[in-house]
Amino acid sequence: SIIMNKLKNCKGITMIALVVTIVILIILASISIIEGKKLIKEAKIENILTDMITIKAKVKGYAEEINSEVWDLKENKEEKIKELFKQKYNIDNTDITNNDILSQIDSNITNKICFEISQSALTEMGLMDIAQSLSDEERQNYIMVYDVNDCTNLDIVCIEGIPYDGVSYYSLSCLQNKFREE
């Protein structure tokens, strides 16, 4: 009988307290999930940005080497540059027709030549990690935009665009400016 009296006096968790606890846990979990998704998306963008910077550093060396071969040409300089990039580095000339991309290319580049940085070119550059880092569905296609008048002035473009804060960024220079603002 003493045990029965003790059990009657013990009060457990009420149903209201249990519901409030569950609601609080659900709110905390949803906040964590939303923030986690945001952090993962930002990490992917920063990875692409790092890849673009790495590509730029590599092709800038190539551009300077080619410039040393053509700096004194007065005629057909652009054609010779295209030919040398193809012969030496297996980097093909291409065109950019998308106005959104063209509007984001560094405005200091006045006399543009564009070169496609293919996955095989990345591999030949020794950038196998970048070439192999993404699955086929997510693979980024890069283009180098080169200034014939100043070989050190170039930009890297991601053709697919990188969505961030509701805007698609294409060029390395625009992405870097966006991240500097933050």
Side-chain angles (χ1 to χ4, degrees):
S1 129
I2 294 175
I3 295 175
M4 288 301 274
N5 285 337
K6 283 188 176 183
L7 286 175
K8 286 181 183 176
N9 292 334
C10 288
K11 295 185 180 178
I13 297 175
T14 65
M15 195 59 119
I16 293 173
L18 183 60
V19 169
V20 167
T21 303
I22 291 172
V23 167
I24 290 172
L25 289 173
I26 289 171
I27 291 170
L28 291 173
S30 63
I31 290 171
S32 297
I33 290 169
I34 291 168
E35 285 301 310
K37 285 182 178 181
K38 182 180 173 187
L39 289 173
I40 289 170
K41 186 176 182 179
E42 286 179 5
K44 285 181 181 180
I45 291 169
E46 287 179 9
N47 188 39
I48 292 170
L49 180 66
T50 302
D51 288 350
M52 292 172 80
I53 291 169
T54 303
I55 293 167
K56 181 177 181 177
K58 191 70 169 183
V59 296
K60 198 169 197 177
Y62 292 170
E64 289 175 1
E65 183 181 321
I66 287 174
N67 188 57
S68 70
E69 293 183 37
V70 299
W71 69 273
D72 62 344
L73 286 180
K74 302 291 184 225
E75 295 179 15
N76 299 327
K77 184 175 183 176
E78 195 170 315
E79 291 307 313
K80 185 66 175 174
I81 290 170
K82 292 175 186 177
E83 179 185 319
L84 287 171
F85 266 107
K86 177 64 179 161
Q87 286 176 353
K88 289 183 167 229
Y89 308 113
N90 196 25
I91 298 175
D92 288 318
N93 176 248
T94 190
D95 288 320
I96 297 175
T97 56
N98 184 325
N99 287 332
D100 291 336
I101 296 173
L102 289 170
S103 69
Q104 290 188 12
I105 294 171
D106 188 340
S107 60
N108 294 323
I109 301 175
T110 54
N111 192 2
K112 299 172 182 67
I113 305 178
C114 301
F115 295 95
E116 180 182 358
I117 308 296
S118 66
Q119 298 304 314
S120 62
L122 287 170
T123 301
E124 288 182 32
M125 288 179 198
L127 302 176
M128 283 78 67
D129 291 345
I130 295 174
Q132 297 172 352
S133 66
L134 300 171
S135 66
D136 287 340
E137 307 87 48
E138 296 175 327
R139 185 165 281 159
Q140 305 295 324
N141 292 312
Y142 298 105
I143 290 180
M144 170 185 59
V145 181
Y146 174 92
D147 192 335
V148 174
N149 301 326
D150 179 6
C151 71
T152 62
N153 194 13
L154 56 93
D155 205 352
I156 302 298
V157 171
C158 177
I159 294 300
E160 288 78 17
I162 299 127
Y164 186 70
D165 284 347
V167 177
S168 285
Y169 294 90
Y170 297 96
S171 75
L172 174 59
S173 58
C174 278
L175 264 174
Q176 286 176 318
N177 290 337
K178 176 65 179 169
F179 278 93
R180 281 186 201 125
E181 290 172 3
E182 294 180 353

